[in-house]
Amino acid sequence: MVTKQYTGSADEADLRRADSLAREIFSDVANKWAFLIIEALGERTLRFSELRNEVEGISHKMLTQNLRMLERYGLVERTVHPTVPPRVEYTLTEPGQALRATVDGMCGWTHQYLGHIEQARRRFDS
């Protein structure tokens, strides 16, 4: 993920512009792993291994990359406890919780329209 430096106002962060910071953020955050991590964290604090168990199918590398990206955007907070071995925990920040409401809505939409989508796919594929 390469980041452009953005110096304009928030009003100029237009998703329709190819060079917009908003588009970059949307592109980075709107991926299946980020959504699943946000959903898994919910209102809980989890350790890396617990999070990996919650997000079925994610590799160590993908979980690490996505947690770093979410932390970089201020959506996840990483806390390292000075123990041996170090205990690292992850929790959603206030903006992360706000995004979680959107993720929850998308999950609800998926559950509500899953049957319709499956029928449409069968029609299209036949």
Side-chain angles (χ1 to χ4, degrees), residues 4-27:
K4 300 176 193 81
Q5 293 300 314
Y6 184 76
T7 57
S9 70
D11 292 336
E12 296 175 74
D14 185 349
L15 280 174
R16 295 169 293 186
R17 287 186 30 206
D19 64 344
S20 125
L21 178 61
R23 186 183 283 191
E24 179 185 338
I25 294 166
F26 185 77
S27 174

Side-chain angles (χ1 to χ4, degrees), residues 43-112:
E43 294 181 18
R44 307 181 289 171
T45 297
L46 296 174
R47 295 177 72 172
F48 186 92
S49 59
E50 294 170 325
L51 197 47
R52 188 165 177 205
N53 290 337
E54 288 285 323
V55 182
E56 190 174 318
I58 194 168
S59 69
H60 186 279
K61 178 182 177 181
M62 288 308 299
L63 181 54
T64 300
Q65 286 177 350
N66 277 274
L67 283 169
R68 286 181 181 161
M69 177 268 300
L70 292 168
E71 184 181 8
R72 182 170 181 259
Y73 284 123
L75 303 173
V76 167
E77 183 177 303
R78 179 178 181 261
T79 305
V80 180
H81 299 277
T83 60
V84 178
R87 187 182 63 178
V88 181
E89 297 177 328
Y90 298 89
T91 190
L92 292 178
T93 62
E94 183 180 332
Q97 286 290 344
L99 180 57
R100 181 176 164 243
T102 300
V103 172
D104 287 348
M106 292 182 70
C107 290
W109 174 87
T110 303
H111 289 282
Q112 181 176 351

